């Protein structure tokens, strides 16, 4: 059976999960998230979870997804709301016929008005938001279903 590597990409400030606004994002760290996703153990899927505060790095990882035909679970964090550069890179992924699931830990629509706009959603395959770390688990389930 062939193995598909799922890129789980996280944008700025998500490296501070655990201590960053735990009332909004919970008390789990990025390592906890990685462990939770790895324990989901979808047959034929490996998880490559990364985080960066740097827009250029995130864009480079989306190119890598295209070049390696990897599905993407993307939490663009604050870039969600204004990064047209990230949107254009995300469009390359979906235009290549690859899944790109936009995820959010919180529900941005229940928060400040500036969070109600996502410049990424229009080029994502779909969006899962508001379920804490389970947003990622649901996205991973979706990827597994689609690759079946
Ligand atoms: C977030 C929501 C964004 O508005 C915020 O800037 C983040 C995290 C989320 O996962 O809920 O950094 O993407």
């Amino acid at each position: 059976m062939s193995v598909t590597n799922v890129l789980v990409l996280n944008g700025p400030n998500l490296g501070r999960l655990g201590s960053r606004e735990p009332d909004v994002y919970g008390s789990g760290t990025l390592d906890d998230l990685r462990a939770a996703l790895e324990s989901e153990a979808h047959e034929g899927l490996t998880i490559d979870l990364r985080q960066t505060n740097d827009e250029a790095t995130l864009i480079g990882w989306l190119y890598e997804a295209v070049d390696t035909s990897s599905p993407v679970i993307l939490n663009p964090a604050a870039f969600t709301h204004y990064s047209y550069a990230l949107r254009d890179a995300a469009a390359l992924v979906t235009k290549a016929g690859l899944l790109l699931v936009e995820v959010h830990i919180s529900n941005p629509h229940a928060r400040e008005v500036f969070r109600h706009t996502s410049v990424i959603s229009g080029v994502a395959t779909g969006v899962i938001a508001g379920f804490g770390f389970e947003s990622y688990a649901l996205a991973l389930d979706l990827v597994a279903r689609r690759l079946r």
Side-chain angles (χ1 to χ4, degrees):
M1 186 192 196
S2 66
V3 172
T4 301
N5 189 41
V6 184
L7 293 179
V8 183
L9 306 179
N10 293 277
N13 304 309
L14 293 171
R16 291 277 159 156
L17 287 174
S19 59
R20 176 191 178 203
E21 298 183 74
D23 49 320
V24 177
Y25 299 112
S27 56
T29 65
L30 214 56
D31 283 340
D32 294 334
L33 174 61
R34 182 181 289 106
L37 293 180
E38 280 172 353
S39 77
E40 295 272 309
H42 284 282
E43 205 181 329
L45 294 186
T46 55
I47 309 289
D48 186 352
L49 186 147
R50 307 177 191 176
Q51 188 274 331
T52 181
N53 295 331
D54 178 42
E55 193 177 24
T57 300
L58 206 46
I59 289 169
W61 288 344
L62 292 175
Y63 293 171
E64 184 185 329
V66 173
D67 294 343
T68 58
S69 296
S70 302
V72 175
I73 295 171
L74 173 65
N75 186 342
F79 290 147
T80 305
H81 312 302
Y82 67 90
S83 175
Y84 298 117
L86 191 64
R87 176 195 166 99
D88 287 348
L92 292 177
V93 177
T94 48
K95 294 271 186 212
L98 297 163
L99 281 171
L100 184 145
V101 186
E102 178 186 342
V103 297
H104 299 282
I105 298 164
S106 67
N107 176 359
H109 295 282
R111 301 179 62 195
E112 302 97 317
V113 169
F114 77 88
R115 297 185 202 276
H116 297 185
T117 298
S118 169
V119 301
I120 308 297
S121 299
V123 297
T125 313
V127 184
I128 300 172
F131 298 101
F133 281 1
E134 285 179 296
S135 293
Y136 292 78
L138 291 166
L140 190 59
D141 287 349
L142 192 278
V143 171
R145 287 173 69 104
R146 287 293 177 95
L147 294 179
R148 235 174 251 153

